[in-house]
Amino acid sequence: MVKMSLDPVQVMSGQVSELKVSASSNGESRESWEEKEDFNQDNLGLTTKPKAVTGRRARKVEGGVFFPKPENAVTVAVSSRVLFRTEREQKVFEQKGVEEYLRYQIEHENEPFAPGPAFPFVKALEAVNTRLRELYPESEELFDIVLVTYNHAHVGVRLINTINHHNLFIERFCMTGGSSPIGYLKAWHTNLYLSADADKVREALAEGIAAATMFMSEKLTEVSESQLRVAFDGDAVLFSDESERIFKAHGLDKFFEHERENEDTLLDHGPLKGFLEALGKLQKKFYTKGHRLDCPIRTFLVTARSAASSGIRALKTLRAWGLEIDEALFLAGAPKGPMLEKIRPHIYFDDQMFHVEDAAEMGTIAAHVPYGIAQKHNIKK
C-alpha cells in the first residue's frame, strides 16, 4: 500500500514523477532564476497587517488583454499548497511562527516552488483554453484559474515569480492573510475548489461549491499534455448518497433491490454534478466545430456499481440530466486503481478514502470529496 499524506501539510518523500515540468526548487535546493518582471510590493497592497488581497495581472492574448468574466468562465480555484509544493515553508510556519515564515518567504522569493499534485491538472486546463481560443477567439467560455491562498500578501511576489517560471496563465489571485477564502469563492462563481485543507473543503461543500481535498503520493503516472481527462465516482460525487445509505444500512442485497425498484427514479445530484455540467458545456463547443473525435476534454465514470443490477439507474439519470460521459466503467466492487492506471486521468474524484488510496497506489492523482454517509466510515491510513 502506498503511503499517502492525509495531513494536508505533509507530502510524501521519494516522489517519482514522470511528468514533464519545468525544473525548479522543492524547498531542498535553493537555485534562483532571473526574474521575468519587476514587481513593486506597494502595488500588491502589502502591509504589515494581514489583509485579504485579490488581484489580476494583465497579459496579452492575441494582441489584446483578455479577462473572462467569472460568470461566463468555468472557474477553478486552486490552493497554492496543491498547485505547488510548500512543505518546507509550512514547517517554518509551524516551528517558528508567522513572522519568521514571512521573513523566510521574502528572503526566498526568487526561488520557485516545485509543482504540486494539481499542477498537471492546471496545465491541462490551459491546453484546453488554447484550443478554445483557436476556435472561438472572442468567447469568454474558458477555464479561469484562481490561485487561492491563506498567505499574507508579502508571499505574493514569490507566487507570481513561480507562476511565471512555470509559464502558467494564472491572472487572478486571492490572498486572504489567514482568513477563510469561502466568501471569495462564491464571488468568483467558483465551479471547483481544490485544496489541501479538508476543513475548508467541507466548508465549501456546505456552501454548495464543488470541492475536493488533494494529496500527493510517491508515484505519479505520466498524463496527457493535450487532452484533459477527468474521472468521477458516481454515488456521493456525481449523484447523492441516497443509494449508498441503503447499502451501508442494509447491505448489498437490499441495495440491489432498492435500485431495481427505483430504476426509473432519477438519483438526486451530488456535489460535483455542476462541474461535470461545466465540462460538458465546453465539450459541446468542440463538437459544434466537428471535433467530437479529437475533443481535448474526456470524462469518465468509474463506479463500484455493477452494470446490470444497479448501473442502469445511473445511466438513466445522466441521460435525463442531459449529461454525456465519454466512458463508463462499472466495476462491481473490483479495485479501481488498475482501471485508473489505464485511464491516466489528471484528477479522479471519490468520496471514499480507500478508493483514493487505491488510486494513488497505481500513480493516479486522486481527490477526496468529503461528502455523504461514507465519511462516517472512512478510516485514515
Side-chain angles (χ1 to χ4, degrees), residues 70 73-83 118 121-122 125 142-149 170 172-176 181-197 200-201 204 209-214 275 347 349 367:
V74 177
T75 301
V76 178
V78 184
S79 164
S80 60
R81 287 166 59 195
V82 297
L83 183 57
F121 176 63
V122 168
L125 299 181
L142 301 161
F143 289 112
D144 191 19
I145 302 158
V146 179
L147 183 65
V148 177
T149 174
I170 300 178
R172 291 184 163 122
F173 295 76
C174 185
M175 292 170 275
T176 68
I182 302 304
Y184 296 110
L185 296 181
K186 298 179 75 172
W188 287 118
H189 298 269
T190 301
N191 298 93
L192 176 67
Y193 173 48
L194 299 174
S195 175
D197 189 330
K200 287 298 177 284
V201 166
I209 300 169
T213 312
M214 295 195 75
F275 183 58
I347 192 168
F349 298 100

Side-chain angles (χ1 to χ4, degrees), residues 31-36 109-112 158 161-162 165:
E31 297 179 359
S32 299
W33 76 94
E34 183 178 352
E35 290 187 27
K36 297 181 180 180
E109 65 185 22
N110 290 333
E111 301 167 15
R158 189 177 185 190
N161 284 341
T162 300
H165 173 74

Side-chain angles (χ1 to χ4, degrees), residues 354-370:
F354 74 90
H355 286 313
V356 172
E357 293 170 343
D358 187 31
E361 185 175 0
M362 308 302 291
T364 297
I365 291 292
H368 179 230
V369 181

